[in-house]
Amino acid sequence: MPTTTVSITVGAAPLTVADVVAVARHDARIELDPGALDAVSASRAIVEALADDVAPHYGISTGFGALATTFIPAERRAQLQASLVRSHAAGSGPEVEREVVRALMLLRLATLATGRAGATRRTVETYAAVLNAGITPIVREYGSLGCSGDLAPLAHCALAAMGEGQVRVDGDLVDAADALAAAGIEPLVLAEKEGLALINGTDGMLGMLSLALHDLQRLLTTADIAAALSVEALLGTDAVFADDLQRLRPQAGQAISAGNLRALLAGSPLVASHKGPECTRVQDAYSLRCAPQVHGGARDTVAHATTVADRELAAAIDNPVLTLDGRVESNGNFHGAPVAYVLDFLAIVVADVASMSERRTDRFLDPARNQGLPPFLAHEVGVDSGLMIAQYTAAGIVSELKRLATPASADSIPSSAMQEDHVSMGWAAGRKLRRAVDGLTRVLAIEVLTASRGADLRAPLVQGPATGAVTAALRESVAGPGPDRYLSPEIEAAVALVASGTLLDAADAALPTPLT
């Protein structure tokens, strides 16, 4: 059961990325805005009035998709809604991560709470209760084409709320009916329109976008930290990061990354050691010199994706939808294209930031390019392999990231007897971005591991205050240079420090102003 005391109010205003992370990842408790519940009841009254109309209304008194012209008599409509959920809960493959499922349910709840979906108040309250009870429906990897929304993943969640299928509670696999009973939650019996209201949304892809944006904000600053460590230990220059040079190209993200690099390298004895007229190096390699341009371009892409996410978080996605003046209208807002495009765009920049990081790692291991360090940073050259295979690991990840950068949203495949003849593939874009974000985390961790060893091998020269603090934080879990040892646990420890933000916190604590 969740134990957090943090709460998020659903219905009063659009959710934020931080709200999604709080509920999905940290089990923040959900509170329902009373005014939103009143709006839900008012819109439900409109649906119930239309249900009594002799004229057909899509999803209320008709079938769905290609069966939209089939009129369903009143006595069969509860079965219609349940059949819709059961048939659409057709996912296959591995279980989707708990945080993604919780984000998916939260975002569907947020749309229901707008009153634009025509759901009953009980359904809204049940979804909040399921999340607050820590009940996580089993959602499968495959099943969504991203249009009409994330149908199969959302249907698995609705099925669990009906007391059918399986869920996880505290990691244990249990029947949904038993989990609901244990939590004191009555299974839902869906009324007219509610089956559609529970499955027609971009919530899965938006949830994955929100989680990725949160992680990338930290990882791109960590990329600046890794680059600073490499510039310092490879005896590169910080002169190219000067503010006046960066202002000649007024890209917002570039300015932020360059500012971070200047702050991280300030006061570094290693950087100061090769300044002056005796230094014969004219220019550093692109992977050092152009870090602000690449990292900054990625930051600008994250900023654009955040704008798209914020708009989608303010949306009420359903089909049909209840308008503010009481109409029930079919629409195409469930199409995931806007979200799918930025999910793919982020996968591209993740691959490129990781690619540049791996190139910096590789420079440390080559005596022709590492400015006097031993080959592969080995303790005893010829006997030890040093960090040779750590670079292989990074290279293998980068190659996969390049494959993951192939856009899913450029694909489409027709479905539902050609009624749904163009789909977004946004769910697939979200799934591969999650893998890409994990890959970037690992590549950056290997660069930090490598650059810190390179800096240690420069003794008696030492790092600057901020970079030194990062290496000190790493050394609490990973030993410094020495004979070859079992390397995989050290890589995993570095990955955990990057993923948790521990290294970023160490750098910030050593600086007068936190990194951006």
Side-chain angles (χ1 to χ4, degrees), residues 9-13 30-45 109-129 132 194:
T9 300
V10 174
I30 293 167
E31 305 288 346
L32 294 172
D33 175 55
L37 291 174
D38 291 341
V40 166
S41 297
S43 67
R44 182 63 204 174
L109 171 61
T111 281
L112 299 180
T114 65
R116 301 303 101 217
T120 63
R121 177 171 176 152
R122 179 165 177 254
T123 295
V124 174
E125 292 172 335
T126 297
Y127 261 52
N132 285 339
E194 289 200 289

Side-chain angles (χ1 to χ4, degrees), residues 391-407:
Q391 183 268 328
Y392 285 28
T393 300
I397 294 170
V398 167
S399 285
E400 179 168 354
L401 293 180
K402 292 173 183 177
R403 295 189 292 272
L404 293 171
T406 301

Side-chain angles (χ1 to χ4, degrees), residues 146-147 149 202 205 312 332-341 343 423-426:
C147 187
T202 58
M205 62 188 90
E312 198 76 359
N333 286 338
F334 50 74
H335 199 292
V339 181
Y341 294 154
L343 287 164
V423 296
S424 77
M425 295 296 180

